[in-house]
Amino acid sequence: MFERLPSSWMLALKKVGYWIWLVPVLGIPLSYYWSQGSAYANAWAYLVVGVVFGVIPLLDVIVGRDPANPDEIEDVPQMDKQGYYRLLSLATVPFLLGMLIWAGWAFVNYEAWSWVGQLGWILSVGTVMGAIGITVAHEFIHKDSQLEQNAGGLLLAAVCYAGFKVEHVRGHHVHVSTPEDASSSRYGQSLYAFLPHAYKHNFSNAWALEAERLKRRSLPALHWRNELIYWYVISALFLLGFSLAFGWLGVLFFLGQSFVALTLLEIINYVEHYGLHRRKQDNGRYERTNPTHSWNSNFLLTNLFLFHLQRHSDHHAYAKRRYQVLRHFDDSPQLPNGYAGMIVLAVFPPLWRAVMDPRVRAFYAGEEHQLTDSQLAS
């Protein structure tokens, strides 16, 4: 639909279009109010989940791709300096935290929901906190400013996954698309084999990386300069606050939405690197990360929702590039749909492998030996 528009038009369109993140965030209270007096109150609790994973994949196909890249000489320097894009992403923080607290109140006090509706509410809120909250947090933790670093840590603390702030930057980006990275899924590995290892490793590796950093400063791991301690204390304060305000149901809600959000993050990790790997060189080191080591998805709609997260190939090659100037590369491996559609496929391993395995083999055509035992799922 937009593929033939001039690049300058697309950049102007997206400058406004990034505000689409408000749709799922406001979709939470809207679904609550639309359920008032409805005979299908439980069904309304699933509205956001249904739209994200049912409607958005279809709209991705209809709206189509966005091939426009900002010009490196004329556009990028100017766009990098515009505080508008930074303000836009920072605006998500109060909206998301406000939505989360209000949603906890609704979970406890709305009597029209049975446990079925309450489950749908947790899934919907967790989807928003994972898709929008963690995506924006991911943008922040790659930046140098203390404000953005703290904003990213706060959003991650709100879903009890502060370790991502350390492990993603110092672990995943170092070892991406190698057997050493728990966030890079192997060729033939199912989502359900991937997730338990990702949960465990990404938590423990965050502590190991932070302990290593402190050791270089001759400090013990359990030290006040261990940033993970700060963020997990904030998660504990969130939990305490929900407990005092809403009782045990508030605790259930907060932990439930956290689990949904962090699981959504790990499913996206699974999608982003499935079957791709960096070649090991003669000196024993892996080749430098480049845009061929991540799956790219250039569907316009979900890229607006996710602040260009789907231009993941460019992000891994140039991690500090801001979301508004991330580029599409034609020679990167390409996903057949946006992340929402790919997540739906991933939860059904036979469908996932039927769609993705031929793409992996085609990408390594002529050098199938690259799919060695070390790259295959055990």
Side-chain angles (χ1 to χ4, degrees):
M1 183 182 294
F2 296 94
E3 294 181 29
R4 295 185 179 181
L5 286 181
S7 179
S8 59
W9 289 25
M10 286 303 303
L11 293 177
L13 172 67
K14 290 192 290 186
K15 188 172 184 178
V16 177
Y18 289 121
W19 286 101
I20 201 172
W21 65 264
L22 282 166
V23 172
V25 176
L26 297 179
I28 294 296
L30 281 175
S31 64
Y32 171 83
Y33 287 114
W34 287 338
S35 73
Q36 301 283 319
S38 171
Y40 306 100
N42 285 331
W44 280 110
Y46 291 84
L47 175 67
V48 171
V49 175
V51 170
V52 170
F53 298 112
V55 178
I56 296 300
L58 297 177
L59 289 179
D60 266 334
V61 176
I62 295 170
V63 174
R65 293 176 171 86
D66 164 30
N69 287 331
D71 185 271
E72 290 297 304
I73 297 176
E74 294 184 4
D75 298 322
V76 171
Q78 179 185 11
M79 293 172 69
D80 263 337
K81 293 177 182 178
Q82 289 183 10
Y84 166 83
Y85 293 101
R86 189 181 179 201
L87 176 64
L88 193 158
S89 55
L90 286 169
T92 64
V93 179
F95 273 87
L96 285 165
L97 296 182
M99 180 275 294
L100 179 64
I101 294 168
W102 177 85
W105 173 87
F107 178 82
V108 172
N109 290 285
Y110 191 40
E111 297 180 354
W113 286 333
S114 68
W115 69 267
V116 176
Q118 289 179 319
L119 175 61
W121 193 244
I122 288 174
L123 291 172
S124 290
V125 174
T127 295
V128 174
M129 292 300 293
I132 307 300
I134 296 182
T135 294
V136 177
H138 168 263
E139 172 73 15
F140 290 151
I141 63 177
H142 279 287
K143 303 305 176 282
D144 294 326
S145 82
Q146 196 59 52
L147 175 61
E148 288 169 298
Q149 283 285 318
N150 289 340
L154 182 61
L155 288 174
L156 291 170
V159 294
C160 301
Y161 217 46
F164 181 75
K165 187 175 186 297
V166 171
E167 203 286 329
H168 177 80
V169 176
R170 292 186 243 156
H172 175 60
H173 270 262
V174 174
H175 301 294
V176 64
S177 296
T178 73
E180 284 77 16
D181 181 35
S183 293
S184 297
S185 49
R186 310 286 186 266
Y187 176 74
Q189 184 179 33
S190 77
L191 174 65
Y192 304 104
F194 170 83
L195 283 175
H197 182 56
Y199 292 144
K200 178 182 177 182
H201 174 85
N202 291 333
F203 176 82
S204 60
N205 198 40
W207 282 100
L209 289 167
E210 186 65 357
E212 181 182 331
R213 182 184 72 85
L214 292 170
K215 185 178 180 180
R216 291 196 297 268
R217 300 186 178 189
S218 301
L219 297 173
L222 294 177
H223 191 274
W224 65 269
R225 290 187 178 178
N226 184 326
E227 72 164 309
L228 289 174
I229 293 176
Y230 284 104
W231 298 120
Y232 282 124
V233 166
I234 292 175
S235 291
L237 291 175
F238 270 114
L239 185 62
L240 178 62
F242 274 85
S243 174
L244 293 176
F246 308 125
W248 72 269
L249 280 176
V251 172
L252 176 65
F253 167 80
F254 179 71
L255 294 178
Q257 66 84 27
S258 294
F259 181 73
V260 172
L262 66 90
T263 297
L264 184 59
L265 163 66
E266 295 300 352
I267 297 174
I268 290 174
N269 276 333
Y270 175 86
V271 168
E272 288 171 337
H273 303 287
Y274 178 77
L276 303 178
H277 56 273
R278 288 150 61 192
R279 296 164 179 82
K280 208 166 193 178
Q281 300 174 335
D282 293 338
N283 61 8
R285 295 183 179 182
Y286 292 100
E287 63 180 326
R288 183 176 179 177
T289 307
N290 64 55
T292 68
H293 298 135
S294 306
W295 288 96
N296 197 67
S297 180
N298 211 33
F299 288 88
L300 175 62
L301 186 62
T302 39
N303 262 323
L304 291 176
F305 274 116
L306 300 178
F307 294 84
H308 267 167
L309 179 67
Q310 296 181 146
R311 290 190 168 183
H312 208 62
S313 300
D314 196 19
H315 167 69
H316 264 282
Y318 305 94
K320 286 188 179 293
R321 285 181 74 97
R322 290 190 174 271
Y323 69 90
Q324 67 268 25
V325 295
L326 288 173
R327 298 159 295 181
H328 165 71
F329 292 98
D330 287 329
D331 56 352
S332 298
Q334 304 294 318
L335 291 172
N337 198 260
Y339 280 3
M342 300 311 298
I343 288 169
V344 174
L345 274 183
V347 300
F348 300 101
L351 290 178
W352 173 265
R353 295 200 65 183
V355 171
M356 290 303 296
D357 283 8
R359 285 174 165 78
V360 176
R361 291 193 297 269
F363 190 71
Y364 290 107
E367 49 177 359
E368 285 81 3
H369 61 279
Q370 292 293 335
L371 297 175
T372 61
D373 291 341
S374 65
Q375 302 298 336
L376 295 173
S378 58

